[in-house]
């Protein structure tokens, strides 16, 4: 029997599998498709997902395989009318090393994640379809289409909007489908030199639209989106190569045969739906299996990756018997409100975009806002969050980065490098935090990594220790709003758990117990740590 069976090997399932495997959890990942898909459907990870991928150890491969987001050129009646770069003027900051996402074909991102997973000795089992689930309270028996069964302590459905797992659970998928808002999509080949591959081209005319985004890593590949052709009665026609050529020629004013091929054609309709719960016993849902929404802003794949990142450490600690009772329940508590927010944001951005393209010069840049980067999403309402804090970073927020130096060697480093890995991180600012750090290390062992953080001019025996950092410019203190001697606990998913005065060692002990479990009795539970604001 495996610890976790993941159903669905898209970005969500692969992210979860990588996160669990690096924590030493026995994991299987299956997918009903007989072979790996080659669709370029998703445009790539946003800034927050790049932070997740950095923690998983694959961000360098993603950056190398992709490209920065491209400037957008908008046309009307075949004539360029406006260029836009939604990221013009933005740049990385000390607390946020990625100021924009990365353009990469979904199939290429999946390849990178599968390679990472293979390094843990785990391979995707293709052509493996789940047709039944039986949860006896201590494990789940999964029935497969070939007549065999598989056992797992937990099952996670990452199997997309039409999730078989969700349907087997009987979980409602409430919402609506707009049958009139639709596009035809696909991967197409366009003759070399026909279009500038450094531009995302967007033709918005009164009688329709075509959008063409070059696929990184290919010489002639493009991602094609368009309003559908319609018959004499106004009914949409199914996507086909000839239809794509006619749409291409009509809007671009280029020869139809410049579009030399089209594959993986599909029709997209705007669906805005979400599950009303993410867990039924020992079966959980993540990604599109739990929520779907308008594509405006590019948050579909990213929300799934971040679901998996939130779930992985909680599931691992639950399997290991660590963490306070109810830790796994905080997955739904934290991620379901984020899905609801995402549905609202993307619907609003779609409305704004449809309004913008009515006028020459309007385009998909309207869909991009600071919130679509994902850096402002936290869990201040969570029972894992602690009340208090000012206008800056608070418990539940994304943990910011900051440049530091290793005190022992003087080598430059960053907080994100310190956080990277499956552990909880405890930062102690100032010499007064050393006792709390020692207690954390003694109680939790390798489940935590503790770091003393010293400011400019620090001296003393601890200032050169291997697990000490110099914050010479004060950027780490500034990022966390720390004054005086303080302790900061960072969760394994790189969200702030606790910011406490260094003298309040009881608060640190109780919080670490909630995340990892203590080796001595402690009455504090997850449920008792409720942020009284209940708002993010």
């Amino acid at each position: 029997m495996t610890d976790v069976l993941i159903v669905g090997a898209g970005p969500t399932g692969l992210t979860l599998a990588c996160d669990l495997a690096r924590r030493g959890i026995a994991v299987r990942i299956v997918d009903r498709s007989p072979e790996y898909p080659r669709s370029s459907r998703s445009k790539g990870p946003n800034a927050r997902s790049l932070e997740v991928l950095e923690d998983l150890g694959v961000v360098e491969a993603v950056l190398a395989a992709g490209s920065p987001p491209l400037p957008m050129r908008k046309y009307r009646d075949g004539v360029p009318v406006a260029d836009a770069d939604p990221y013009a003027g933005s740049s990385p900051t000390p607390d946020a090393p990625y100021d924009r996402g990365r353009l990469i074909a979904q199939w290429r991102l999946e390849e990178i994640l599968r390679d990472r997973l293979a390094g843990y000795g785990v391979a995707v089992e293709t052509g493996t379809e789940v047709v039944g689930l039986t949860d006896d309270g201590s494990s789940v028996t999964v029935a497969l289409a070939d007549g065999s069964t598989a056992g797992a302590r937990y099952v996670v459905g990452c199997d997309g909007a039409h999730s078989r797992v969700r349907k087997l659970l009987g979980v409602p998928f409430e919402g609506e489908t707009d049958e009139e808002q639709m596009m035809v999509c696909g991967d197409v080949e366009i003759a070399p030199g026909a279009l500038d591959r450094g531009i995302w081209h967007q033709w918005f005319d009164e009688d329709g639209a075509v959008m063409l985004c070059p696929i990184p890593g290919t010489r002639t590949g493009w991602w094609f989106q368009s309003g559908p052709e319609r018959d004499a009665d106004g009914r949409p026609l199914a996507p086909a190569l000839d239809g794509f050529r006619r749409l291409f020629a009509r809007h671009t004013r280029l020869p139809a045969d410049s579009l030399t091929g089209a594959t993986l054609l599909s029709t997209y309709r705007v669906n805005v739906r979400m599950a009303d719960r993410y867990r039924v016993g020992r079966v959980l849902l993540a990604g599109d299996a739990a929520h779907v929404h308008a594509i405006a802003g590019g948050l579909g794949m990213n929300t799934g990756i971040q679901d998996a990142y939130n779930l992985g450490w909680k599931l691992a600690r639950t399997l290991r018997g660590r963490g306070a009772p109810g830790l796994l329940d905080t997955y739904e508590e934290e991620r379901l409100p984020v899905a609801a927010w995402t549905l609202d944001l993307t619907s609003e951005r779609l409305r704004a975009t449809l309004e913008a393209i009515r006028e020459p010069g309007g385009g998909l840049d309207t869909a991009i806002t600071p919130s679509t980067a994902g850096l402002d999403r936290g869990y201040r309402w969570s029972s894992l969050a602690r009340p208090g804090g000012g206008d800056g970073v608070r418990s539940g927020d994304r943990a910011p980065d900051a440049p530091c130096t290793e005190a022992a060697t003087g080598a430059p480093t960053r907080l994100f490098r310190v956080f990277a890995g499956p552990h909880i991180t405890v930062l102690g600012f100032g010499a007064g935090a050393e006792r709390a750090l020692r207690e954390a290390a003694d109680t939790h062992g390798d489940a935590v990594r503790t770091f003393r953080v010293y400011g400019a001019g620090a001296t003393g025996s601890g200032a050169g220790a291997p697990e000490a950092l110099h914050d010479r410019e004060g950027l780490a203190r500034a990022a966390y709003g720390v004054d005086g001697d303080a302790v900061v606990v960072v969760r394994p998913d790189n969200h702030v758990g606790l910011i406490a005065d260094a003298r309040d060692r009881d608060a640190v002990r109780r919080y670490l117990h909630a995340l990892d479990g203590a080796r001595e009795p402690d009455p504090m539970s997850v449920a008792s740590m409720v942020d009284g604001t209940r708002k993010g």
Side-chain angles (χ1 to χ4, degrees):
M1 177 179 294
T2 193
D3 287 333
V4 180
L5 175 67
I6 299 170
V7 184
T12 301
L14 289 168
T15 297
L16 181 60
C18 288
D19 196 22
L20 290 170
R22 69 173 176 161
R23 298 175 190 279
I25 300 300
V27 61
R28 288 181 66 184
I29 179 168
V30 303
D31 198 285
R32 64 183 295 181
S33 299
E35 57 189 23
Y36 300 134
R38 294 289 295 181
S39 173
S40 304
R41 176 174 49 193
S42 173
K43 296 298 189 299
N46 64 9
R48 178 54 178 165
S49 290
L50 288 175
E51 295 180 355
V52 174
L53 296 171
E54 178 176 350
D55 186 31
L56 294 179
V58 299
V59 76
E60 293 301 328
V62 171
L63 296 176
S67 74
L70 299 176
M72 301 177 184
R73 180 163 295 159
K74 283 73 71 71
Y75 302 78
R76 182 60 64 105
D77 298 325
V79 177
V81 293
D83 285 357
D85 181 354
Y87 301 99
S90 71
S91 59
T93 60
D95 65 328
Y98 307 105
D99 67 317
R100 63 196 70 191
R102 198 73 173 172
L103 189 65
I104 183 174
Q106 182 171 322
W107 61 263
R108 183 67 185 102
L109 176 61
E110 291 173 356
E111 280 186 343
I112 292 169
L113 289 169
R114 285 197 302 269
D115 287 346
R116 184 63 170 175
L117 188 59
Y120 298 111
V122 181
V124 174
E125 300 173 38
T126 56
T128 305
E129 182 178 1
V130 172
V131 296
L133 296 168
T134 304
D135 183 347
D136 67 6
S138 61
S139 65
V140 183
T141 300
V142 177
L144 303 175
D146 64 3
S148 65
T149 61
R153 295 173 68 187
Y154 287 91
V155 171
V156 185
C158 304
D159 49 342
H162 301 290
S163 170
R164 175 68 62 82
V165 172
R166 187 189 66 241
K167 292 173 182 176
L168 289 169
L169 293 175
V171 172
F173 205 42
E174 300 294 344
E176 59 185 20
T177 300
D178 189 335
E179 296 292 346
E180 293 304 312
Q181 288 293 340
M182 67 176 63
M183 292 189 302
V184 290
C185 313
D187 285 12
V188 303
E189 297 289 328
I190 295 176
L195 289 170
D196 183 349
R197 289 185 61 83
I199 298 290
W200 186 345
H201 302 271
Q202 302 167 16
W203 291 266
F204 293 108
D205 298 321
E206 292 186 3
D207 63 344
V210 162
M211 292 150 279
L212 283 163
C213 183
I215 301 170
T218 67
R219 190 172 68 91
T220 59
W222 298 73
W223 178 242
F224 179 102
Q225 297 168 281
S226 176
E229 287 191 302
R230 296 182 181 271
D231 64 18
D233 296 320
R235 292 187 294 264
L237 299 177
L241 173 59
D242 287 347
F244 274 28
R245 283 176 168 159
R246 287 189 292 269
L247 289 164
F248 174 83
R250 180 192 311 164
H251 294 289
T252 70
R253 276 50 170 190
L254 295 170
D257 60 6
S258 296
L259 195 155
T260 59
T263 58
L264 301 169
L265 310 186
S266 63
T267 299
Y268 166 81
R269 289 176 174 81
V270 175
N271 280 286
V272 180
R273 298 179 182 275
M274 61 183 290
D276 64 356
R277 56 193 183 277
Y278 283 14
R279 180 185 178 192
V280 179
R282 289 180 169 265
V283 185
L284 301 102
L285 301 172
D288 285 355
H291 43 73
V292 293
H293 46 78
I295 62 174
L299 291 177
M301 179 190 74
N302 289 289
T303 306
I305 287 174
Q306 292 154 37
D307 283 348
Y309 195 49
N310 182 285
L311 175 59
W313 68 276
K314 297 173 181 178
L315 195 50
R317 275 174 166 70
T318 299
L319 283 161
R320 294 286 185 255
R322 308 292 291 264
L327 178 63
L328 190 55
D329 290 332
T330 67
Y331 166 61
E332 176 182 300
E333 179 191 2
E334 292 182 343
R335 293 305 296 173
L336 194 150
V338 170
W341 170 85
T342 303
L343 265 62
D344 289 344
L345 174 66
T346 54
S347 294
E348 192 278 328
R349 287 295 87 201
L350 177 62
R351 180 206 58 75
T353 301
L354 293 174
E355 181 70 24
I357 64 176
R358 292 178 182 176
E359 300 295 329
L364 301 186
D365 51 301
T366 305
I368 299 172
T369 72
S371 286
T372 58
L375 300 178
D376 60 354
R377 289 298 90 197
Y379 310 121
R380 291 185 181 181
W381 61 84
S382 170
S383 58
L384 286 178
R386 295 299 301 269
D391 296 331
V393 172
R394 292 170 54 188
S395 179
D397 290 350
R398 162 195 167 271
D401 196 9
C404 300
T405 58
E406 296 176 358
T409 66
T413 189
R414 297 160 48 219
L415 289 184
F416 276 9
R417 290 178 188 161
V418 167
F419 299 159
H423 56 271
I424 301 162
T425 306
V426 185
L427 304 175
F429 289 86
E434 291 194 18
R435 187 172 176 184
L437 294 181
R438 285 197 303 271
E439 289 180 356
D442 291 345
T443 303
H444 296 275
D446 61 6
V448 304
R449 289 188 68 188
T450 61
F451 294 85
R452 297 166 177 83
V453 185
Y454 294 92
T459 59
S461 60
E467 298 292 271
L469 303 171
H470 275 148
D471 179 30
R472 298 194 187 282
E473 299 178 67
L475 293 172
R477 275 190 177 273
Y480 288 86
V482 170
D483 291 320
D485 292 352
V487 175
V488 175
V489 178
V490 178
R491 297 168 19 164
D493 59 352
N494 295 0
H495 280 262
V496 177
L498 174 73
I499 302 176
D501 188 290
R503 294 168 295 183
D504 194 356
R505 297 193 308 279
D506 284 344
V508 177
R509 282 196 294 265
R510 290 194 299 266
Y511 197 81
L512 289 174
H513 167 72
L515 298 190
D516 180 59
R519 298 177 187 175
E520 57 187 11
D522 192 317
M524 190 65 175
S525 70
V526 170
S528 67
M529 295 191 296
V530 179
D531 180 348
T533 64
R534 309 298 293 180
K535 298 290 183 182

